[in-house]
């Protein structure tokens, strides 16, 4: 650049921060700043580069790219994901880390973001590009190549990955990062690895690089011929079933879906990410499908001749490991922005936006509907399941509370708009079956990666995204122990969360799974090692997680009964500070059965009788699994 007026001299860190602050997304004519802020933890890999740039930006304009501390790099990705999911992927956070462990702590969060198709920008520091100071503190030192660093572990979990070895490389990399982050079909974690020397290096940047840039988030419309084929197949169906996935919600297609279902009478089942697509009491709603489904959805799935999958990636939980769709002649119509997902189960692919397609299908199918018997059957099955939910919400347990009753109280406390968050353990399945969603954003269960430790960190992001909504984080004791530190950030930022800690002294979920696969609940509860047996079957551990939460700065309420839980939730709702409600449940009292299978292979040979029995059961179920061709 010879013309001094058209360039500006900045470090790579400063240029990156200035670029990020100038990015906007737009869908349906509404624009929003793409990066609501930057989470970070500093170390020698970013303190002098991106860290200095953030400090300088905070002096100039604290609103430009607000900085938030975090306590753990994995947690900051979870928080960014929670935020982006609530904002329908139109906005997210950047995450800056040091090199080495700070960078590799991102891997789990990145995998979660990518699997759930949620945008998040990761900015790990990296080892010197010049290599003169090798080996720098925390450097891997691969003897085969100096080009390898620990940041390469982020490659398979990133949708775009680049290393900025020279300042000029930032320009194409930053633009490519934005393209992927704002593309609904490609989005996920995006990593720009930033060698620590390059971050601090200066360069003359063209000023156009920092111009306000608006990224249009597309709504691809269905190809007319694909729409014709889909209409023809749906018209031929006698027992159609629609499976609503997360794409329905991200696309803002919930009203279009409600209209389509009401007009055609096609029953609607929901995946984990798609739950809330319809309000629970919509006449066509049959609730959760698959391994954690309702008997209503699973019975309709078993007979369905045409399955219309909208915005779903057909995970094994959704399909009950490819056993739930049992009609030998079943055909699939898959509406998805990602051709990868649209092609699944040899489906008739409509590679397009959910809202645009449901609207178009509704128009093209005007006047067509399922027969009255099928509508009646749908209503009957849904009603039967709702009675089961009533019973589960009223259930008691031999010791402590039944978890389903706790979930009922939380469902009630969430009201019309409160967001309930969960990710792993026995609660996601129970919530999927039982929760009565009244709003598309109310049910926030991360079940793409089902990552213990997502809950509280995501709560922080969700509440930042929706300060006007009550946020109730449901977390098991095992998951709490995995990653609870963002309570400190919530307290620091005065971001109010209600956290319901469900204490059952270990892994109720894996305990019950272990039993079903013949592993006898081996080592799935938190107990002392028993000197008599040598096993972990001694007394319950003297762990007090309520005291732990209090030590991190939360207010704490201990609830010993259902009434106490209800009043604790009411108190937490009125509170202005992050409040943890501690409740003890019985790990052996489960939820109503889905009558569906989940493929978890059982040992083929064994000396344990329990395993042999489980294997016989497995061999019985396995033939129900199909390739849909
Ligand atoms: C990070 C991570 N590690 C391991 C697992 C496997 N896993 C799934 S559920 C679970 C136990 C969860 O325990 P808790 O949070 O107490 O819930 P509970 O099963 O008791 O309902 C484990 C270990 C996981 N999902 N995530
Ligand atoms: Mg537990």
């Amino acid at each position: 650049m010879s013309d001094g007026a058209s360039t500006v001299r900045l470090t790579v860190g400063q240029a990156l921060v200035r670029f990020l602050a100038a990015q906007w997304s737009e869908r349906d004519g509404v624009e929003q700043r793409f990066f609501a802020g930057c989470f970070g933890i500093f170390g020698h890999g970013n303190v002098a580069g991106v860290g200095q740039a953030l400090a300088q930006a905070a002096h100039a304009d604290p609103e430009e790219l607000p900085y938030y501390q975090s306590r753990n790099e994995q947690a900051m990705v979870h928080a960014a994901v929670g935020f982006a999911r609530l904002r329908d992927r139109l906005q997210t956070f950047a995450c800056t880390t040091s090199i080495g462990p700070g960078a590799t702590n991102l891997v789990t969060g990145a995998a979660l973001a990518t699997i759930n198709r949620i945008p998040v920008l990761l900015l790990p520091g990296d080892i010197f590009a010049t290599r003169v100071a090798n080996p720098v503190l925390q450097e891997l030192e691969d003897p085969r190549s100096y080009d390898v660093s620990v940041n390469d572990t982020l490659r398979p979990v990133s949708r775009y990955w680049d290393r900025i070895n020279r300042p000029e490389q930032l320009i194409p990399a930053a633009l490519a990062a934005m393209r992927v982050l704002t593309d609904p079909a490609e989005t996920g974690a995006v990593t720009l690895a930033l060698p620590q020397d390059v971050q601090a290096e200066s360069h003359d940047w063209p000023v156009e690089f920092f111009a306000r840039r608006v990224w249009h988030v597309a709504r691809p419309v269905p190809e007319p011929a694909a729409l014709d084929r889909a209409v023809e197949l749906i018209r031929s169906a006698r027992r159609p079933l629609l499976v609503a996935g997360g794409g329905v919600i991200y696309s803002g297609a919930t009203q279009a879906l409600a209209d389509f279902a009401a007009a055609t009478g096609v029953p609607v089942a929901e995946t984990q990410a798609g739950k809330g697509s319809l309000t629970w009491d919509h006449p066509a709603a049959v609730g959760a499908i698959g391994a954690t489904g309702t008997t209503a959805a699973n019975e309709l799935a078993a007979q369905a001749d045409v399955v219309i999958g909208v915005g779903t990636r057909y995970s094994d939980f959704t399909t009950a490991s490819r056993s739930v769709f049992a009609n030998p002649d079943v055909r699939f119509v898959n509406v998805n922005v990602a051709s990868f997902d649209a092609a699944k189960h040899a489906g008739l692919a409509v590679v397009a936006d959910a809202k645009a397609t449901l609207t178009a299908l509704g128009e093209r199918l005007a006047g067509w509907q399922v027969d009255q018997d099928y509508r009646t059957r749908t209503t009957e099955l849904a009603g039967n399941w709702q009675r089961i939910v009533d019973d589960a919400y009223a259930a008691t347990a031999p010791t402590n509370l039944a978890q389903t009753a706790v979930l009922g109280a939380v469902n009630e406390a969430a009201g019309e708009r409160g967001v309930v968050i969960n990710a792993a353990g026995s609660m996601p399945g129970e919530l999927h079956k039982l929760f009565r969603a009244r709003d598309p954003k109310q049910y926030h269960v991360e079940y793409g990666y089902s990552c213990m430790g997502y809950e509280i960190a995501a709560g922080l992001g969700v509440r930042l995204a929706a300060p006007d909504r009550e946020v109730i984080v449901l977390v098991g004791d095992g998951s709490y122990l995995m990653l609870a530190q963002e309570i400190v950030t919530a307290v620091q930022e005065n971001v109010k969360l209600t956290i319901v800690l469900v204490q059952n002294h270990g892994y109720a979920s894996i305990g019950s799974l272990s039993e079903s696969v013949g592993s006898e609940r081996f080592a799935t509860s938190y107990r002392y090692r028993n000197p008599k047996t040598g096993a972990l079957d001694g007394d319950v551990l003297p762990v007090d997680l309520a005291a732990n939460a209090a030590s991190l700065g939360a207010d704490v309420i201990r609830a010993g009964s259902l009434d106490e839980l209800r009043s604790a939730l009411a108190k937490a709702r009125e509170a202005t500070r992050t409040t943890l409600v501690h409740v003890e449940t019985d790990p052996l009292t489960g939820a109503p059965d889905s009558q569906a299978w989940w493929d978890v292979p059982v040992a083929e040979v064994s000396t344990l009788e329990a395993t042999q029995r489980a294997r016989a059961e497995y061999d019985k179920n396995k033939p129900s699994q199909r390739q849909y061709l």
Side-chain angles (χ1 to χ4, degrees), residues 403 424-427 449-452 476-480 482 502 504 506-510:
Q403 184 169 280
S426 55
M427 283 186 275
Y449 211 39
S450 187
C451 183
M452 295 169 75
D477 57 316
S479 300
Y480 181 94
M482 198 73 77
V502 179
N504 57 18
Y507 307 157
S509 51
I510 308 300

Side-chain angles (χ1 to χ4, degrees), residues 133-435:
N134 285 10
V136 67
L137 174 68
Q138 302 166 326
E139 179 168 340
L140 176 67
E141 286 204 283
D142 187 330
R144 295 163 301 178
S145 169
Y146 279 128
D147 192 41
V148 172
S149 87
V150 295
N151 287 355
D152 289 274
T153 59
L154 285 158
R155 283 181 189 262
V157 290
S158 298
R159 284 311 197 92
Y160 178 84
W161 186 103
D162 214 341
R163 184 181 277 128
I164 311 302
N165 283 311
R166 292 183 54 84
E168 302 90 312
Q169 292 173 344
L170 180 64
I171 294 177
L175 295 173
M178 285 307 301
R179 174 183 65 76
V180 172
L181 288 167
T182 56
D183 181 337
E186 285 199 47
T187 199
V190 164
T191 299
L192 297 182
L194 302 165
Q196 60 183 106
D197 50 349
V198 180
Q199 284 180 49
E201 210 175 315
S202 71
H203 178 72
D204 291 319
W205 306 89
V207 291
E208 295 79 21
F209 182 48
F210 308 113
R212 186 178 188 276
R213 209 170 287 268
V214 182
W215 298 83
H216 174 66
V217 178
R219 284 194 185 281
V221 293
E223 204 188 348
L227 196 62
D228 286 347
R229 289 192 289 270
V231 167
E232 193 188 331
L233 185 55
I234 295 168
R235 277 183 186 279
S236 77
R238 298 205 55 248
R239 295 288 173 262
L241 175 69
L242 192 146
V243 177
V248 171
I249 295 176
Y250 299 135
S251 156
T254 55
Q255 189 56 51
L257 175 65
D259 295 345
F260 176 87
T264 60
V266 174
V268 174
E270 293 170 333
T271 72
Q272 280 280 11
K275 194 166 158 91
S277 291
L278 282 190
T279 50
W280 71 276
D281 52 358
H282 186 287
V286 292
I289 186 167
T292 54
T294 67
T295 48
N298 286 350
E299 186 174 326
L300 295 176
Q303 289 155 17
D305 50 3
V306 173
V307 175
I308 310 167
V310 185
T312 176
R313 61 190 189 93
Y314 289 114
S315 81
D316 66 344
F317 266 78
T318 296
T319 66
S321 303
R322 301 191 184 211
S323 70
V324 82
F325 305 114
N327 183 329
D329 300 318
V330 64
R331 297 280 312 277
F332 294 83
V333 176
N334 300 325
V335 178
N336 209 298
V337 280
S339 64
F340 178 75
D341 291 315
K344 286 177 177 174
H345 300 335
L348 197 164
V350 182
V351 182
D353 171 68
K355 186 178 177 184
T357 308
L358 283 167
T359 308
L361 281 175
E363 284 164 11
R364 293 287 304 275
L365 288 166
W368 175 86
Q369 54 177 304
V370 302
D371 62 38
Q372 190 53 44
D373 284 359
Y374 196 48
R375 281 200 197 241
T376 309
R377 183 80 189 123
T378 299
T379 312
E380 235 170 57
L381 288 170
N384 293 347
W385 181 259
Q386 286 310 325
R387 277 185 290 282
I388 292 176
V389 177
D390 287 336
D391 290 348
Y393 279 180
T396 56
T399 62
N400 297 317
L401 295 175
Q403 184 169 280
T404 55
V406 171
L407 301 185
V410 166
N411 199 160
E412 195 182 302
E416 295 293 317
R417 292 185 77 245
V419 182
V420 174
I421 301 171
N422 191 246
S426 55
M427 283 186 275
E430 298 192 0
L431 286 164
H432 194 213
K433 291 175 192 176
L434 304 176
F435 195 83

